[in-house]
Structures are given as structure tokens and as C-alpha cells.
Amino acid sequence: MNRRVFLSGISATALLPQFTAAQEVQGNSHPFEFLRDISTGENFRFDEERYNLVIVMTAQESYSDCGGAFIGVHQIMTELNARDTIHPIMIMPRVADQSYGQSDLRNIARAQRSEYPITILSGDLTDIQAAIATLNGAFLEIDPQGKVSGHTQDAYFLTPSGNQLLSHRADDYFTFVPLIDRIIGRCYGGLNPSCW
Amino acid sequence: MAETHSTSKTFFHAAHFMMYATMFTMIAQNLASMAVTGVPIGLLDPVGMLANMHIPSVEGIAALGEAGGALMDAAANGTWVTDSFFIDPHAAIGHAGHGAAAVATEPVLTDSAREILGM
């Protein structure tokens, strides 16, 4: 590496957005506030101190590699030691709105058994779609009967108040971890200049 | 050139010596058993006796194989080991040292949760 490449790398990294939770939160609104936490029954309230790591899942296993998303969340939380910094969230259409009905609920079980508590948010399909619309690139697949049969396989990293910072394939934590680390500055892999 | 001692010739002699010694031992044990107990043991029985003394039981070996097989089944079928996650093969890369765990497919849902989910 020559001096020019080294210095350009330093400057590029320095220009990356360096959000802190306290600096970013404005107002009390969050795009998910119309969804309900199925464990509490209440509308979602965001934690001002924690970023959001969001996956979009159906309760049913729509794809054979759905489990990879949960692995990705687990690895991100573990490798960044982010229990106090990141809030894992799963947006999930109602079971009544999914194509498999009640016959397959394994993704709920996976979220409940996560070592890092994953908040499951659900609600009317219109509210779900409105929430997902705030996530660039997120989508639900709807079958001819109007039931949800699939979903985006990306995960979304948001500010505490729900502004999207980045997204990536949920199970590709090898790539995702350093991207998130640049933001939260946990110095994984020594990528953050503030850690040098 | 002085004649050197051939390694292969030494091995040839050693192998034959061991073979003869083994045969003599087996026959001697058979005769001894006959003399002591009146029952001739098979020529290969001493071999089996020695094997049983020094080699793990078939059951033990089978148990090891079964445990290994269970781990392989868990990985192939998507059972995440310590954390009860499903895992697919490419997500398994970089994950080592996890043991087997039961797959959890049934969630725990309160009445409130069921109401929210339309169940």
C-alpha cells in the first residue's frame, strides 16, 4: 500500500456517518409504532439507546434458509457484543395473513428462543406493508389469495428512531458485522479509526 | 564393494520369525487348554481374547459413531446446536464447537399474542 492509498482510506473512513444514539433521536415517532409487540400486546416503543437490527419474516418457514437470518442476527449481536447497543426486531405479518396458516410457526419459535431477545412486531397487513415500505428494498410476496408467501431476506440496520443506515443479506454476517461496526464503533477488526 | 546388510532381507527374516512365533503360540495355547481343561480352544481364540482386552467394545465404538452421526444429521437437517437454531450449510461456515440440541418448532403464545396474530 502506498501513501496515497493509505491516506485515501483514512479519509474515506473518517467521512462515514458516525451516529450516536443521543445525537440522532428526534421526536418520539418511529415507523414501526403502529405495529404491536406480540409479547406485550402493546404498540412498539423504540429504545433511544439502541439501534435497530430488523429482519422481515413470516411465522412460516417460507424458504429453506430462513434459519440463516436468525444465525446472522445472533452472530452480529455476539461478535459486536451488542446486547446494549442493538435491538433485534422481527417484523412479521399475522399468522392469519400468511399462506401456510397455523401449520407452520417455527420462525416465531426461533425468535423466542434467541439468546438475544428478538422483538416480534405484527399487525394488520396494511400496517405491516407501511412499516416495510420505510425499509429500502424490503418486500413481501403475496400469493393470488392475498396471503403472504414470502419476504425479503435482507436485514436492515436502523437508527434508534427508525432511519435506515444500511441493509444487507441477513445471513451474510461476515460482511454485515464490519459494516455495522463502522457505525457503532465496536472496533471489530480494527476498522474504526477511533479505535486506533 | 563390501556387501551391506539388506533392509528388505532383515524384514523378510523378521516377518517370518513373527509368523512362526505366532503359530507356535497359538498351537501351544490350544494344547495347554486341552491339557488343563480338556477343552480345545480354537486357534484364533487367543487372538480374540487379546482383542477384547485391548480394543474398545463394539458397543463403545458404535456409540462414538452414533454421536458423530447425530452431529452430522443435526447439521444437515438444520438443527443449530447449542442455540436451537436451524442452520443451513453455508451459514455453518465458521461455526465450530457446537453440540446437538432439539429443534424447537412450536412457539409459546399468550392469548394476547394469538389475538394479535389472528389465531
Side-chain angles (χ1 to χ4, degrees):
Chain A
M1 182 186 293
N2 60 32
R3 182 179 57 195
R4 180 178 301 172
V5 173
F6 178 73
L7 290 176
S8 64
I10 293 272
S11 59
T13 307
L15 290 174
L16 283 174
Q18 298 286 324
F19 283 98
T20 64
Q23 292 170 354
E24 191 278 332
V25 173
Q26 296 175 5
N28 295 319
S29 66
H30 191 290
F32 301 166
E33 63 186 5
F34 299 108
L35 302 179
R36 295 169 70 185
D37 182 340
I38 70 167
S39 65
T40 65
E42 298 179 355
N43 282 51
F44 174 68
R45 294 179 190 168
F46 69 91
D47 180 348
E48 294 181 359
E49 300 298 319
R50 292 198 294 169
Y51 295 89
N52 304 158
L53 179 61
V54 181
I55 55 176
V56 180
M57 306 292 286
T58 47
Q60 68 201 25
E61 189 176 73
S62 298
Y63 312 108
S64 60
D65 57 353
C66 272
F70 294 95
I71 299 293
V73 169
H74 180 271
Q75 284 308 110
I76 290 168
M77 297 296 289
T78 299
E79 297 192 26
L80 296 175
N81 192 23
R83 190 181 293 272
D84 298 328
T85 311
I86 297 176
H87 182 183
I89 295 171
M90 182 169 97
I91 295 180
M92 186 188 75
R94 298 185 318 150
V95 172
D97 293 327
Q98 69 178 15
S99 57
Y100 289 9
Q102 299 187 29
S103 62
D104 182 354
L105 304 176
R106 71 185 77 191
N107 283 341
I108 300 178
R110 284 165 164 157
Q112 289 180 332
R113 284 159 176 77
S114 170
E115 181 180 344
Y116 304 95
I118 298 177
T119 298
I120 304 175
L121 301 180
S122 190
D124 292 340
L125 192 54
T126 50
D127 288 335
I128 293 285
Q129 290 177 314
I132 289 175
T134 67
L135 305 173
N136 291 335
F139 63 90
L140 292 175
E141 290 181 354
I142 309 294
D143 69 15
Q145 286 71 44
K147 301 294 186 181
V148 181
S149 58
H151 52 83
T152 176
Q153 294 187 304
D154 279 359
Y156 302 85
F157 191 64
L158 316 179
T159 65
S161 65
N163 295 309
Q164 182 172 332
L165 294 171
L166 59 91
S167 64
H168 195 73
R169 173 91 183 191
D171 58 1
D172 182 14
Y173 56 87
F174 287 117
T175 303
F176 215 170
V177 164
L179 291 175
I180 294 176
D181 185 59
R182 288 185 179 183
I183 297 173
I184 68 175
R186 282 300 169 89
C187 307
Y188 171 85
L191 294 175
N192 193 319
S194 65
C195 300
W196 297 348
Chain B
M1 184 194 314
E3 184 176 321
T4 57
H5 197 76
S6 163
T7 301
S8 61
K9 188 184 289 184
T10 304
F11 178 77
F12 178 84
H13 289 312
H16 279 78
F17 174 78
M18 290 177 63
M19 183 177 69
Y20 293 137
T22 302
M23 287 174 59
F24 174 78
T25 302
M26 290 163 65
I27 294 172
Q29 286 177 324
N30 182 274
L31 293 176
S33 169
M34 186 70 169
V36 171
T37 65
V39 177
I41 60 174
L43 287 177
L44 294 178
D45 282 352
V47 178
M49 294 175 196
L50 280 172
N52 275 333
M53 283 190 281
H54 300 294
I55 298 175
S57 68
V58 172
E59 290 78 11
I61 294 173
L64 284 173
E66 207 169 316
L71 284 176
M72 292 298 110
D73 283 345
N77 292 330
T79 303
W80 182 244
V81 207
T82 53
D83 299 312
S84 300
F85 280 118
F86 280 100
I87 185 170
D88 55 283
H90 75 273
I93 296 172
H95 287 78
H98 291 90
V103 171
T105 58
E106 292 302 317
V108 177
L109 295 172
T110 62
D111 291 342
S112 170
R114 289 179 178 276
E115 182 265 325
I116 295 172
L117 296 174
M119 296 173 65

